[in-house]
Amino acid sequence: MTSNSPRAVLAAEWTKVWTVRSTGFTLLLAFVLSTGIGTLVAFNWRNNIEHVVNFDPLVAALYSVTLGQLALVVLGALLVGAEYSSGSIRTSLTAVPGRGLLYSGKVLAGTLTALAASAVIVLVTFVAAQAALGPYGTDLTADGVPAALAGAVVYLTLICAFSMGITTVVRSSAISMGILLPLLFLGSQGLGNIPALKPVLQYLPDQAGLELMHIAGPSSDGRYGPGYGSGAALAILLAWTAAALIGGYLVLRRRDA
C-alpha cells in the first residue's frame, strides 16, 4: 500500500477525524440534543396526552433529531474548515498531490463517521422516547417505523456530507455555518408554513428530511409538509449533497490552498 493509495489516504483522513477533540464533542452534542429533547418531549406528551393534537409517536422520537443535526453540520464544517484556518491544508496537498483523491478520502472519512454516529443517535433517541411515552409509544417493528428510522440516519449522514461540500467551497467553517444554519433552521422551518413561499421552500434539505423521517405532518393537511413522497425526498437530498460536493471539488481543484 503506497502513501498515495486510496486506502492510505482514507486511513490518514480517518486518523485526522478522530485525533481532534471537536469530533467527539460535536457527536456527543448531537447525541445529547437528540435523545435529551426527544425524551423530554415524550414525557411531556405522555403527561398531557389529551391536549396533544395529531399525536404521532414518531414525531416525539424523531423531531429532536432535527435539532441534533446542528452538531453534525458543525462537525462537517470543522472537518474541512479547520485545515484551512490552521493552514495544514497545504501540508495535506503536499502529501497527497491528487486533489480528487484527497477530497474523496476526506469526504468518505467524515461521511462514514456521521453514518455510524447517526445510527446510534437515531436508535437510542427512538427507544428512549418510546419508553418515555409508555403506553402511547410504538415499537421498532411497527408499520413505517423501520423506514422512518432509516430515513433519519440517511438524512443526518447526508447533511454532514453536504456541510463538508459547502465548507470546501467557501474554505471557512464560520462562513459555512453562517450559510447552513439559517438555511436549515430559519429558511424552511421558520417560513415554510407561509403559503406563498411553500412551493419553493419545500425543496430545501430540511423539508426533504422531515418527509424522509415521516414526520413532515399529517398528509391529509396540506398546510404541513412538502407535496412529495419519501422517494422524491431522498432524491432531493442526494441532489443537494451531490451539488455541494461537486462544487467543493471544483473549487479545491482550481484554487490554491
Side-chain angles (χ1 to χ4, degrees):
M1 183 172 64
T2 66
S3 60
N4 272 265
S5 69
R7 183 178 174 184
V9 172
L10 176 59
E13 293 300 323
W14 183 263
T15 300
K16 289 180 187 176
V17 169
W18 290 103
T19 52
V20 294
R21 293 181 180 178
S22 59
T23 298
F25 177 77
T26 51
L27 292 180
L28 178 61
L29 180 61
F31 182 85
V32 171
L33 283 174
S34 297
T35 58
I37 294 175
T39 303
L40 289 175
V41 169
F43 266 124
N44 183 57
W45 282 18
R46 178 179 180 175
N47 293 330
N48 301 278
I49 193 67
E50 68 276 10
H51 301 299
V52 179
V53 179
N54 295 323
F55 172 75
D56 184 345
L58 267 180
V59 175
L62 295 182
Y63 198 79
S64 60
V65 168
T66 65
L67 299 175
Q69 71 171 319
L70 167 65
L72 287 170
V73 168
V74 173
L75 172 64
L78 291 177
L79 289 179
V80 173
E83 283 202 76
Y84 283 99
S85 61
S86 66
S88 60
I89 187 66
R90 299 185 183 89
T91 304
S92 297
L93 290 172
T94 301
V96 185
R99 299 193 175 195
L101 180 60
L102 175 66
Y103 184 58
S104 59
K106 187 179 298 296
V107 170
L108 184 56
T111 302
L112 289 174
T113 298
L115 174 62
S118 299
V120 174
I121 290 169
V122 169
L123 182 60
V124 173
T125 299
F126 176 82
V127 171
Q130 300 314 310
L133 283 172
Y136 306 105
T138 186
D139 58 62
L140 287 168
T141 60
D143 185 36
V145 170
L149 299 185
V153 172
V154 169
Y155 174 65
L156 291 179
T157 303
L158 289 179
I159 213 66
C160 184
F162 178 62
S163 175
M164 295 180 73
I166 294 296
T167 307
T168 308
V169 172
V170 300
R171 306 196 301 176
S172 165
S173 300
I175 295 175
S176 175
M177 286 187 276
I179 294 171
L180 291 173
L181 298 186
L183 177 70
L184 295 173
F185 292 98
L186 297 179
S188 58
Q189 293 198 34
L191 303 173
N193 292 327
I194 299 177
L197 299 178
K198 183 178 176 181
V200 176
L201 297 179
Q202 67 178 335
Y203 295 103
L204 290 179
D206 69 317
Q207 292 295 288
L210 293 178
E211 180 63 29
L212 201 58
M213 290 187 279
H214 298 189
I215 59 171
S219 57
S220 57
D221 193 332
R223 294 175 300 172
Y224 305 103
Y228 46 77
S230 297
L234 178 59
I236 290 168
L237 279 171
L238 287 172
W240 277 100
T241 305
L245 292 176
I246 292 171
Y249 169 67
L250 293 176
V251 169
L252 181 66
R253 189 182 67 173
R254 296 181 180 182
R255 297 179 64 176
D256 292 333

